[in-house]
Amino acid sequence: MAKRKEENFFSPENAKRPRQEELDDFDKDGDEDECTVSFTNGTSTLTAAEVGIIESIQLRNFMCHSMLGPFKFGSNVNFVVGNNGSGKSAVLTALIVGLGGKAVATNRGSSLKGFVKDGQNSADISITLRNRGDDAYRANVYGNSIVVQQHISMDGSRSYKLKSETGTVVSTRKEELIAILDHFNIQVDNPVSVLTQEMSKQFLQSKNEGDKYKFFMKATQLEQMKEDYSYIMETKERTKEQINQGEERLIELKRQCLEKEERFQSIAGLSTMKTNLEYLKHEMAWAVVNEIEKQLNAIRDNIKIGEDRAARLDRKMEEQQVRLNEAEKKYKDIQDKLEKISQETNARAPECMALKTDVTAKKRTYNEAEVLYNRSLNEYRALMKDDEQLCKRIEELKKSTDQSLEPERLERQKKISWLKERVKALQDQESSINQEIEQFQQAIEKDKEERVRIKREELDVKHTLSYNQRQLKELKDSKTDRLKRFGPHVPALLEAIDDAYRRGRFTCKPIGPLGACIHLRDPELALAIESCLKGLLQAYCCHNHADERVLQALMEKFYSRGTSRPQIIVSEFRNEMYDVRHRAAYHPDFPTVLTALEIDNAVVANSLIDMRSIETVLLIKSNSVARAVMQSQKPPKNCREAFTADGDQVFAGRYYSSENTRPKFLSKDVDSEISDLENEVENKKAQILNLQQHLSTLEKDIKRNEEFLRRRQIHYRELKVKITESISEIRELENIEEHQSVDIATLEDEAQENKIKMKMVEKNMEQQKENMEHLKNLKIEAENKYDAIKQKINQLSDLAEPLKDELNLADSEVDNQKRGKRHYEEKQKEHLDTLNKKKRELDMKEKELEEKMSQARQICPERIEVKKSASILDKEINRLRQKIQAEHASHGDREEIMRLYQEARETYLDLDNKVRTLKRFIKLLEEIMTHRYKTYQQFRRCLTLRCKLYFDNLLSQRAYCGKMNFDHKNETLSISDMVNRRIAMDMILKMADSQRFRQFILLTPQSMSSLPSSKLIRILRMSDPERGQTTLPFRPVTHEEEEDRS
């Protein structure tokens, strides 16, 4: 058939609204030949088909078309005509795909995603099938028509919706569509039903007669019958092989079955031995009951003894509690006395210091007054000596008559007067220098005392700085390893403990440090708990003294001699914590140390209870509230002491302030602690720097004053020398015996002046003496007061020393009594545990007795008097069983042999039955296949003759000639005819007219205007594609392009 040149077609945007029986989308076919679609309903014999007819089809975004349809088909002959590209192939392809066909069957692509229009995400196909009459498919569900909708996604997947006449979705499963097509006998993969363009070309233009034969076989479904026959024959051959294998297996099974039967028949009876064994089992059952009853009686006796011992332990516990109460009362009395003495001593300490200072000041004042008095006394004595010498000299001069040496004497007297004036001036300088020396000495002494105080303060600050720096380093290390807060060697020590435990050196692994095993419920109580537990936070627990010695040896590697080591607590490890409810303190508002801690390990909790009685210590954050609870009213029951958030310790009658200001081990806010410590370290460094600067200033002052003192002392010594020399010279001049005239009047005047001066000095001396006596009395009075209070303080210290010894003894006695009490408590607990264990054992034995009696009654309902023990009966049972087993070993177990024989026989019979069944099946199958193959050949021959008959009949009606030859042996088909397209069309119409119960859909590019007018013929004309278009537009047309074209 001639081919037509393809023409341009419209884009989806230019497509107008589709009218009935028109399509204005396009197809991307190049060449169009006539295509035929024949849907046959073989189940109906009606003149007009009521089921299986395609009523309408509609496409959206399918191939090159945005919208195609909907349009309706007639029930008989339908022509879909239109130029190339108008969408005929799209309709045919949609029919195949929409009714479940594969993409390959359309010859238009290899995947469904190729059918989705470019630029779109999916495509939709809707096909309506007629469903009327008696042969309708589920008419009560679908109604008069079935709508098949298929949605194809961009990824090549598709989904179905099968709707009823009313539009209700009935199913989405492909199996339902297949069932509908089978019911309507619609075969989309049969070329006789659906003949595509490519298949028609292959059939009509192929020169190969074998291809035509294959087309014939496929169209008549003879090919499928042939393939089914081949598969059945292959299955038959495999079944024959199974039968042969089964027959070989039957021979072996028969031999095994005969062997088992012979062994079964050769076994001798063992009824006597088994009967004896059963009787022994009866005796054994009641013998076990007898022994359990004996054990029960022994346990009851032990429980009675244990209860008597528990009563004795209770009495000892009460006695021990009385002794403990007495020891605690004694300890409290001594502690109260010591506290009273300490308070009195502390109260007198400020007064003592004040009196000491007063005594020192008065001593200094008295000494100064005494120095002044002595100085005046020396001056008075010197004046008296001068007076005596003057009087003597005057007498000598009066007696002297020789006046010849008067000028020399006057000269000597003048020099003596000058020397005396010089001595006086030098003595005045000496007094002034002496006062300066005393001032410098006092200044130097004061600076030295201040230097000692500053150095002591600097040393204290340095100790505090060193401690804070160590604590800061430990805190920083603890950020990576919390254990380092308990000491730098703790992580290494714990590793050594783990290693020693792995090597089996410890009975139980030591636990510690205890501070690392506890956790705070309230972080604000950290300092209070640390003040309470103190060194116990760094302590370790050992199960026994052997473990303690091993731990001590390990500690020697990390703690050098002379340094403090962590405390080791030796106490037997228990898995349960002490029950302290009866002796624990309770307050509705404040927790005890025990309840304020989270302790996962019972050993840690028990150790802290033993060592510190943490169940009796309350934690009260406020100092004033703590005083009110413990001192202003009666303390809570069982409460001995309390601690505040500041770490202060509060007793019923006294209060101790904490030396620490922050927690060292239990603080959780490490960063805040580090920040505070760093600030404190910086403050201490600044304080040390200030002290050092002050110390440097004092050193300079001391050196300067010492230099001034040295110079004054040298000057003082020089003055002393000059005074001595002048006095010696005066004495030498006065001792010269000259017989010269002397001015007696001058000497008398000097003597008179000397007497006046003596009176003034004497008067001054009397005043100084009175003042000195007054200061002496004040000094003595201050010394007496200081000595009195010092004596009282010493007496208090003397009283405190024996009390401290008594307190230590009382504390040791309290600890001893506590240990004794814990000893009895542990003994009692251990004994009660043992007693409870015995009671539980008694209950278990009673239950066991009931079970054994029940079992014995099941074995032997009536109780048997058994004289033999269970062990003897067990030996007899074992001997009898060995004898029975020996018999079984020689002949085999009867039940086992019977079971094996029955299994072998059943296996043999089952396999024999299967082989027989398969043989009968194969025989029947061969007969059926022989008959079916003959029928197949007859059917093929009938179809061949029928096909030839139709072929010849159609040609003869038109007076044409042609020939169709089938060669089934060589599987070839040869057809020769001279029929043109017009004649073929007439023949098709005539055939359709004779088969009005079938629907024919033909697709052709011809106009079909020459066809006769008939109600049975419906022509659907496709809209022409746009002219001038040479390639398919694989993109949507824009709105602007549509307006330009219009």
Side-chain angles (χ1 to χ4, degrees):
M1 181 176 288
K3 296 181 181 178
R4 298 183 61 187
K5 181 178 179 182
E6 75 175 9
E7 298 174 347
N8 294 336
F9 46 84
F10 289 100
S11 66
E13 286 74 17
N14 287 334
K16 305 299 181 182
R17 184 174 181 87
R19 299 193 304 270
Q20 183 66 26
E21 301 181 357
E22 286 190 355
L23 297 168
D24 31 55
D25 278 343
F26 49 86
D27 185 13
K28 62 178 181 179
D29 260 345
D31 299 328
E32 292 282 356
D33 286 340
E34 294 181 357
C35 300
T36 305
V37 181
S38 174
F39 295 91
T40 305
N41 178 11
T43 61
S44 177
T45 58
L46 300 174
T47 57
E50 291 184 340
V51 294
I53 296 300
I54 298 175
E55 293 183 340
S56 64
I57 186 170
Q58 182 177 2
L59 314 178
R60 187 176 68 84
N61 296 331
F62 189 79
M63 293 177 70
C64 298
H65 307 280
S66 296
M67 181 66 72
L68 197 62
F71 55 88
K72 295 184 178 180
F73 293 111
S75 61
N76 192 226
V77 179
N78 298 272
F79 285 95
V80 181
V81 300
N83 295 325
N84 291 343
S86 60
K88 300 186 300 299
S89 296
V91 173
L92 178 60
T93 303
L95 284 173
I96 297 173
V97 174
L99 294 177
K102 297 180 180 179
V104 180
T106 64
N107 294 316
R108 290 286 176 172
S110 59
S111 175
L112 291 175
K113 62 184 179 182
F115 297 134
V116 180
K117 187 177 182 293
D118 286 347
Q120 302 297 327
N121 295 326
S122 61
D124 293 289
I125 303 171
S126 178
I127 301 173
T128 303
L129 302 177
R130 185 176 296 172
N131 188 42
R132 303 174 184 170
D134 296 336
D135 291 335
Y137 180 79
R138 298 174 66 185
N140 59 335
V141 177
Y142 286 97
N144 293 331
S145 61
I146 300 175
V147 180
V148 181
Q149 291 184 351
Q150 185 174 152
H151 180 79
I152 303 173
S153 301
M154 219 21 221
D155 57 359
S157 63
R158 60 180 171 183
S159 60
Y160 297 93
K161 286 185 180 179
L162 302 176
K163 297 183 177 179
S164 65
E165 180 183 14
T166 60
T168 304
V169 177
V170 178
S171 177
T172 58
R173 299 170 63 249
K174 187 177 179 181
E175 290 77 4
E176 180 73 3
L177 176 61
I178 294 172
I180 292 171
L181 297 178
D182 289 343
H183 185 80
F184 293 158
N185 197 19
I186 298 175
Q187 304 171 11
V188 294
D189 56 348
N190 192 331
V192 174
S193 297
V194 180
L195 182 63
T196 63
Q197 182 178 350
E198 294 299 325
M199 185 61 73
S200 66
K201 289 179 181 179
Q202 181 181 354
F203 176 69
L204 296 175
Q205 297 178 4
S206 176
K207 303 293 185 181
N208 191 341
E209 295 179 350
D211 292 341
K212 295 178 180 179
Y213 185 82
K214 289 180 181 178
F215 182 85
F216 165 75
M217 294 290 287
K218 187 174 182 181
T220 58
Q221 293 188 333
L222 289 172
E223 182 179 9
Q224 182 65 39
M225 294 174 64
K226 184 178 180 182
E227 291 175 356
D228 292 344
Y229 177 75
S230 299
Y231 174 76
I232 292 172
M233 296 306 293
E234 291 174 0
T235 304
K236 186 188 76 170
E237 293 301 325
R238 287 196 298 271
T239 306
K240 283 184 177 180
E241 292 178 2
Q242 293 178 359
I243 291 172
N244 294 333
Q245 294 174 0
E247 288 178 343
E248 294 175 358
R249 176 66 178 156
L250 272 175
I251 296 173
E252 177 66 21
L253 287 176
K254 186 175 182 180
R255 183 184 63 78
Q256 294 177 3
C257 185
L258 292 174
E259 289 178 357
K260 299 290 190 301
E261 187 177 2
E262 289 176 1
R263 289 187 61 190
F264 173 71
Q265 293 175 354
S266 63
I267 292 177
L270 301 175
S271 58
T272 303
M273 286 189 290
K274 288 184 178 181
T275 302
N276 293 335
L277 179 63
E278 288 299 319
Y279 184 75
L280 287 175
K281 287 181 179 179
H282 293 174
E283 288 187 330
M284 181 66 178
W286 288 107
V288 170
V289 172
N290 291 339
E291 290 187 356
I292 294 177
E293 288 176 343
K294 292 178 181 178
Q295 293 174 3
L296 274 174
N297 293 330
I299 292 172
R300 290 191 181 100
D301 295 339
N302 290 334
I303 289 174
K304 185 177 181 182
I305 295 171
E307 289 176 345
D308 294 339
R309 187 183 176 190
R312 290 196 302 272
L313 285 174
D314 287 336
R315 289 193 295 272
K316 288 184 178 181
M317 277 284 296
E318 293 175 356
E319 295 171 359
Q320 189 66 31
Q321 184 64 44
V322 171
R323 290 194 291 272
L324 176 60
N325 293 338
E326 292 175 353
E328 288 180 343
K329 183 177 183 300
K330 183 178 179 181
Y331 176 84
K332 187 176 184 302
D333 294 340
I334 296 172
Q335 196 174 35
D336 292 341
K337 290 179 181 179
L338 270 176
E339 178 64 20
K340 186 176 180 181
I341 292 173
S342 177
Q343 289 177 355
E344 188 174 353
T345 303
N346 293 334
R348 293 179 182 272
E351 183 182 359
C352 182
M353 291 299 295
L355 288 174
K356 183 179 180 181
T357 303
D358 185 49
V359 167
T360 304
K362 288 181 177 179
K363 277 184 178 181
R364 187 182 295 110
T365 305
Y366 172 77
N367 292 333
E368 291 174 355
E370 188 177 14
V371 168
L372 293 174
Y373 174 77
N374 291 332
R375 188 178 296 162
S376 299
L377 180 62
N378 292 332
E379 185 180 359
Y380 181 76
R381 288 173 180 174
L383 290 172
M384 284 183 66
K385 189 175 182 181
D386 291 342
D387 183 65
E388 290 176 357
Q389 289 178 355
L390 285 171
C391 291
K392 185 178 180 182
R393 184 64 179 163
I394 290 171
E395 290 295 328
E396 288 177 353
L397 288 175
K398 285 181 177 182
K399 292 177 180 180
S400 176
T401 58
D402 189 2
Q403 298 296 325
S404 59
L405 297 175
E406 185 64 21
E408 185 180 352
R409 186 187 64 80
L410 292 174
E411 184 67 27
R412 190 169 57 250
Q413 188 68 33
K414 184 178 180 180
K415 187 175 182 180
I416 288 172
S417 298
W418 177 81
L419 286 173
K420 286 183 178 180
E421 290 177 359
R422 184 186 178 195
V423 167
K424 183 179 179 182
L426 290 173
Q427 286 177 344
D428 291 338
Q429 289 184 19
E430 179 191 9
S431 178
S432 176
I433 292 298
N434 191 29
Q435 289 180 0
E436 290 181 3
I437 287 173
E438 288 180 356
Q439 290 175 358
F440 282 125
Q441 286 177 342
Q442 290 176 0
I444 290 170
E445 186 66 24
K446 183 179 179 182
D447 288 343
K448 285 184 177 180
E449 290 178 357
E450 181 70 10
R451 182 178 63 181
V452 171
R453 187 188 67 80
I454 294 297
K455 283 187 176 180
R456 190 182 300 112
E457 185 177 355
E458 181 188 11
L459 186 62
D460 293 339
V461 175
K462 284 184 177 179
H463 284 318
T464 304
L465 175 63
S466 176
Y467 174 77
N468 288 341
Q469 286 176 336
R470 287 197 306 273
Q471 192 172 2
L472 180 61
K473 183 177 182 301
E474 291 173 0
L475 280 175
K476 288 182 177 180
D477 292 340
S478 69
K479 289 185 70 176
T480 56
D481 189 350
R482 181 173 177 265
L483 294 174
K484 288 188 177 180
R485 300 189 72 174
F486 301 93
H489 306 300
V490 170
L493 176 60
L494 293 179
E495 290 182 3
I497 291 173
D498 291 338
D499 183 64
Y501 179 68
R502 286 193 296 270
R503 297 186 181 188
R505 297 180 63 188
F506 289 110
T507 306
C508 294
K509 180 181 174 182
I511 299 172
L514 299 185
C517 304
I518 63 177
H519 303 282
L520 302 180
R521 300 182 188 274
D522 186 354
E524 294 182 3
L525 298 174
L527 182 57
I529 293 175
E530 280 196 16
S531 299
C532 175
L533 299 182
K534 296 181 180 177
L536 290 176
L537 294 171
Q538 296 175 282
Y540 291 78
C541 295
C542 286
H543 179 65
N544 51 40
H545 290 285
D547 289 350
E548 179 197 13
R549 289 191 291 272
V550 176
L551 183 57
Q552 288 282 13
L554 292 177
M555 285 185 176
E556 289 179 357
K557 300 178 182 178
F558 302 98
Y559 298 92
S560 58
R561 292 187 178 274
T563 59
S564 61
R565 295 183 185 179
Q567 181 181 357
I568 299 177
I569 303 167
V570 180
S571 179
E572 183 181 356
F573 287 2
R574 298 178 180 274
N575 295 327
E576 297 179 356
M577 193 178 80
Y578 295 152
D579 185 3
V580 295
R581 289 174 293 181
H582 62 284
R583 65 172 186 265
Y586 172 75
H587 194 282
D589 299 325
F590 310 113
T592 63
V593 176
L594 179 61
T595 57
L597 294 175
E598 291 182 359
I599 309 176
D600 299 329
N601 195 319
V603 175
V604 176
N606 294 340
S607 298
L608 295 177
I609 291 171
D610 290 338
M611 301 301 295
R612 193 59 183 84
S613 300
I614 60 175
E615 77 279 9
T616 65
V617 181
L618 285 180
L619 298 176
I620 306 172
K621 293 183 181 180
S622 172
N623 298 348
S624 59
V625 175
R627 287 179 182 271
V629 172
M630 298 297 296
Q631 297 176 352
S632 299
Q633 55 188 352
K634 185 179 179 181
K637 182 181 178 182
N638 297 329
C639 179
R640 295 180 51 194
E641 55 186 310
F643 284 85
T644 69
D646 295 332
D648 297 345
Q649 188 177 14
V650 186
F651 290 93
R654 55 196 181 280
Y655 187 98
Y656 297 104
S657 298
S658 174
E659 297 178 355
N660 299 321
T661 58
R662 64 171 59 87
K664 180 180 178 182
F665 303 107
L666 302 179
S667 174
K668 289 189 176 180
D669 191 359
V670 179
D671 293 331
S672 176
E673 289 291 324
I674 290 174
S675 177
D676 293 342
L677 270 179
E678 287 176 344
N679 294 334
E680 191 167 340
V681 166
E682 292 300 324
N683 294 335
K684 293 298 180 185
K685 287 181 178 179
Q687 188 177 352
I688 290 173
L689 183 60
N690 292 334
L691 291 174
Q692 289 176 346
Q693 291 174 353
H694 191 188
L695 196 61
S696 177
T697 304
L698 286 176
E699 293 286 350
K700 291 178 181 178
D701 291 342
I702 290 172
K703 288 182 180 180
R704 185 174 65 253
N705 290 333
E706 285 178 344
E707 180 64 23
F708 289 151
L709 177 61
R710 186 182 64 80
R711 292 177 183 176
R712 294 295 185 274
Q713 287 175 344
I714 292 173
H715 191 194
Y716 181 79
R717 286 193 295 270
E718 291 175 351
L719 289 175
K720 278 285 188 184
V721 171
K722 289 180 181 180
I723 291 171
T724 304
E725 290 176 351
S726 298
I727 291 174
S728 298
E729 189 176 356
I730 289 171
R731 287 176 180 174
E732 288 177 358
L733 290 173
E734 288 178 345
N735 291 331
I736 296 176
E737 293 182 359
E738 296 178 348
H739 299 284
Q740 53 187 349
S741 60
V742 180
D743 190 356
I744 296 174
T746 303
L747 291 176
E748 288 178 348
D749 292 339
E750 185 178 351
Q752 187 64 32
E753 291 176 1
N754 193 35
K755 288 183 182 291
I756 293 171
K757 194 173 183 180
M758 284 177 61
K759 290 181 179 180
M760 292 175 62
V761 171
E762 186 178 4
K763 184 178 180 181
N764 191 20
M765 280 177 58
E766 290 177 356
Q767 292 176 355
Q768 288 177 351
K769 188 174 182 180
E770 290 177 359
N771 185 36
M772 188 175 68
E773 290 296 329
H774 175 68
L775 292 175
K776 184 178 181 180
N777 293 330
L778 292 177
K779 179 176 77 68
I780 292 171
E781 183 181 358
E783 286 177 348
N784 291 334
K785 290 181 179 179
Y786 174 71
D787 292 339
I789 195 168
K790 187 69 176 177
Q791 186 178 3
K792 288 182 180 179
I793 291 174
N794 292 335
Q795 289 175 354
L796 290 174
S797 298
D798 293 340
L799 291 174
E801 288 302 322
L803 285 176
K804 288 181 181 178
D805 296 336
E806 291 180 13
L807 184 67
N808 292 331
L809 292 175
D811 188 36
S812 300
E813 181 65 20
V814 170
D815 289 339
N816 291 333
Q817 297 301 331
K818 283 184 177 179
R819 282 195 294 271
K821 182 183 177 182
R822 285 198 298 271
H823 170 73
Y824 284 115
E825 285 177 347
E826 291 172 359
K827 286 289 185 183
Q828 186 185 42
K829 186 176 183 302
E830 183 179 355
H831 180 68
L832 290 177
D833 291 342
T834 304
L835 187 62
N836 292 331
K837 185 177 179 181
K838 287 290 184 183
K839 289 181 178 179
R840 290 194 297 271
E841 185 180 358
L842 178 64
D843 294 337
M844 293 173 62
K845 282 294 181 182
E846 288 176 348
K847 293 179 181 178
E848 185 181 359
L849 178 62
E850 292 177 0
E851 293 176 358
K852 293 299 181 182
M853 290 187 72
S854 176
Q855 293 174 1
R857 288 191 183 96
Q858 291 177 359
I859 297 172
C860 180
E862 294 183 0
R863 184 159 185 167
I864 302 174
E865 291 295 331
V866 183
K867 297 181 179 180
K868 296 179 182 179
S869 65
S871 59
I872 295 174
L873 290 172
D874 185 58
K875 291 178 181 178
E876 291 182 2
I877 290 172
N878 289 334
R879 284 197 297 270
L880 189 56
R881 280 178 176 168
Q882 290 175 359
K883 189 174 181 181
I884 293 172
Q885 289 175 357
E887 292 294 329
H888 282 308
S890 59
H891 300 290
D893 184 71
R894 179 183 180 88
E895 288 76 11
E896 180 67 17
I897 291 175
M898 180 181 291
R899 184 183 63 79
L900 293 175
Y901 168 67
Q902 291 293 337
E903 289 179 355
R905 186 170 180 277
E906 289 174 359
T907 304
Y908 171 76
L909 294 176
D910 181 63
L911 183 58
D912 183 64
N913 185 38
K914 289 180 179 178
V915 170
R916 292 175 184 276
T917 302
L918 286 175
K919 283 183 178 181
R920 288 195 298 271
F921 172 73
I922 290 297
K923 182 178 180 181
L924 180 62
L925 182 62
E926 287 177 347
E927 294 175 356
I928 292 172
M929 290 307 298
T930 302
H931 175 70
R932 287 181 64 86
Y933 186 67
K934 290 179 180 179
T935 305
Y936 164 75
Q937 289 178 331
Q938 292 177 359
F939 183 63
R940 184 180 61 184
R941 186 164 50 252
C942 291
L943 286 177
T944 302
L945 293 175
R946 186 176 181 184
C947 188
K948 285 183 178 183
L949 178 61
Y950 277 127
F951 182 76
D952 292 340
N953 187 28
L954 288 173
L955 292 181
S956 62
Q957 288 179 3
R958 295 287 182 174
Y960 302 124
C961 61
K963 186 168 62 175
M964 178 182 290
N965 294 324
F966 288 92
D967 186 350
H968 296 297
K969 183 177 182 181
N970 297 320
E971 296 184 346
T972 59
L973 170 62
S974 59
I975 302 174
S976 59
D977 67 78
M978 300 300 294
V979 180
N980 59 21
R981 179 177 298 195
R982 176 61 188 169
I983 297 172
M985 185 61 66
D986 293 340
M987 295 173 67
I988 289 172
L989 292 175
K990 186 175 181 182
M991 179 60 67
D993 183 63
S994 63
Q995 298 185 10
R996 295 186 180 181
F997 55 87
R998 286 191 173 91
Q999 184 183 36
F1000 297 87
I1001 300 175
L1002 300 99
L1003 296 90
T1004 176
Q1006 296 182 1
S1007 64
M1008 295 290 107
S1009 59
S1010 60
L1011 290 177
S1013 177
S1014 174
K1015 295 181 179 180
L1016 301 177
I1017 299 175
R1018 177 172 292 186
I1019 299 175
L1020 303 177
R1021 301 188 184 277
M1022 312 294 286
S1023 299
D1024 293 336
E1026 184 181 355
R1027 299 302 178 187
Q1029 180 174 296
T1030 57
T1031 59
L1032 297 177
F1034 290 97
R1035 65 178 178 84
V1037 179
T1038 64
H1039 184 66
E1040 290 78 10
E1041 292 173 344
E1042 183 179 5
E1043 290 178 353
D1044 292 340
R1045 290 179 181 175
S1046 62

